[in-house]
Amino acid sequence: MNPLLDLHPEVAEALHHGRPVVALESTIISHGMPWPQNAETAFLVEAAVREHGAVPATIAVIEGRLKAGLTRAQIESLAQQGTAVAKASRRDLPVLMASGRTGATTVAATMIIAAMAGIRMFATGGIGGVHRGAAASFDISADLQELARTPVAVVCAGAKAILDLPLTLEYLETHGVPVLGYGTDELPAFYSRQSGLKLQHRLDTPAEVARVLQAQWKLAQATHGGGVVIANPIAAQHEIPQARMAAYIAQALQEAQQQGVAGAAVTPFLLARVSALTGGASLATNIQLVLGNARLAAQVAVQVAAQVAAA
Ligand code: PSU
Ligand code: MN
């Protein structure tokens, strides 16, 4: 076992027996949602993974240790401390490890720890991406670079609508990251089912997705290839159509600019502002889309395990 890593006993046992495991991130808990909805959501997401036949492994850095699988108390503490916990992306990991500090892991850092643990499926809300105005700010999430190099499949509701979605897709294409539409021909826009951006690949069942992942992992081994994005639109009854979101997003972006919000603070600021501007509607949608992604990730993980066992 990797000496940097602590596996929760239930996660270790499942991995040892080739049973399905789904990784979950913790930035969404500490920085993506307010207390107490963040703790409630984290527990609901773990329950959704279990209901669909997989073991959840929520990932974080706790007092300098890389953790795959957290206790209830650890999740609760990350939720309660909120933004007092460091937001940990790839660049932050060695500093947190060396200083024994705690960090909530982004998609990028969660992928790294999942890969170290041998977990290939990961569910989140939305991946980071190319920010609007990136030509001037250079603000491109490290999530995209991680998807290019680390072989983990990320189920998400597309990229957050606060981003530049066309440029995010271009970046993923350049870096050879497959983006699979699940039951859709276009990239979902997080709160909304549609973005108007066509995808090249559509799959309609967990078994089909699992077969593509198996192929990608073989390729990744031979070519040092990276991850896969599984883009799963929010259920229709929970979506906020793009036209309604556009004005709120524009206002949140303007406020961020006026207040000089930059760097890692941008994404949490925008999510919180959009939530306030929509009177909490975007938070309810955010919770539902994470749950939907957790269910699909578990279903795909179950299919992967079955296909491996049958091979
Ligand atoms: N999706 C959400 N809520 C979040 C995030 C994504 O629904 O809080 C977080 C993820 O952890 C993602 C991060 O990795 O935002 C991206 O931040 P940045 O743009 O600074 O890379
Ligand atoms: Mn950024």
Side-chain angles (χ1 to χ4, degrees):
M1 191 68 269
N2 193 311
L4 300 174
L5 192 64
D6 296 332
L7 295 184
H8 189 286
E10 188 191 5
V11 172
E13 158 106 356
L15 289 170
H16 180 75
H17 291 100
R19 291 191 208 117
V21 177
V22 173
L24 301 164
E25 63 151 311
S26 46
T27 290
I28 196 173
I29 302 174
S30 296
H31 294 256
M33 290 182 192
W35 168 268
Q37 287 95 336
N38 54 359
E40 287 161 18
T41 303
F43 294 132
L44 284 174
V45 168
E46 288 208 340
V49 169
R50 287 183 203 285
E51 268 160 39
H52 289 81
V55 171
T58 301
I59 286 178
V61 183
I62 307 284
E63 295 176 354
R65 298 287 305 171
L66 308 183
K67 302 275 187 193
L70 301 181
T71 64
R72 273 188 84 85
Q74 286 167 332
I75 290 176
E76 195 132 306
S77 167
L78 287 172
Q80 206 153 16
Q81 290 182 71
T83 52
V85 176
K87 176 177 164 182
S89 195
R90 174 180 273 271
R91 62 167 188 189
D92 308 297
L93 290 177
V95 180
L96 295 172
M97 290 164 71
S99 59
R101 284 168 59 207
T102 292
T105 49
T106 64
V107 167
T110 302
M111 287 177 74
I112 293 168
I113 297 170
M116 286 170 70
I119 303 169
R120 302 245 195 212
M121 275 311 296
F122 168 16
T124 184
I127 56 170
V130 179
H131 281 260
R132 300 187 196 185
S137 68
F138 266 48
D139 192 351
I140 299 174
S141 176
D143 293 354
L144 298 185
Q145 194 54 40
E146 207 57 52
L147 280 160
R149 65 195 280 188
T150 300
V152 170
V154 182
V155 181
C156 62
K160 285 181 290 276
I162 54 175
L163 300 165
D164 189 320
L165 297 182
L167 292 192
T168 300
L169 271 187
E170 290 294 345
Y171 191 102
L172 290 168
E173 180 188 349
T174 299
H175 289 273
V177 179
V179 181
L180 312 176
Y182 187 77
T184 182
D185 296 304
E186 58 180 284
L187 182 72
F190 200 65
Y191 305 113
S192 322
R193 290 178 59 81
Q194 286 168 328
S195 67
L197 299 167
K198 288 272 167 282
L199 294 177
Q200 297 305 306
H201 306 292
R202 171 187 176 140
L203 301 170
D204 292 289
T205 66
E208 282 176 77
V209 176
R211 278 191 288 275
V212 173
L213 296 185
Q214 301 273 80
Q216 171 73 0
W217 305 149
K218 284 180 200 147
L219 269 178
Q221 210 169 22
T223 64
H224 307 287
V228 175
V229 173
I230 300 161
N232 180 33
I234 172 92
Q237 72 266 32
H238 299 299
E239 86 160 331
I240 308 178
Q242 226 189 347
R244 249 186 66 206
M245 282 311 294
Y248 298 125
I249 291 169
Q251 186 177 337
L253 285 164
Q254 199 190 2
E255 289 178 14
Q257 208 175 19
Q258 282 163 353
Q259 296 176 34
V261 179
V266 171
T267 296
F269 177 90
L270 292 175
L271 289 174
R273 282 307 293 149
V274 166
S275 176
L277 291 168
T278 60
S282 74
L283 177 59
T285 296
N286 200 341
I287 292 168
Q288 289 303 324
L289 64 85
V290 179
L291 284 169
N293 295 340
R295 288 191 282 266
L296 177 58
Q299 289 171 326
V300 173
V302 165
Q303 289 299 319
V304 169
Q307 289 173 15
V308 170

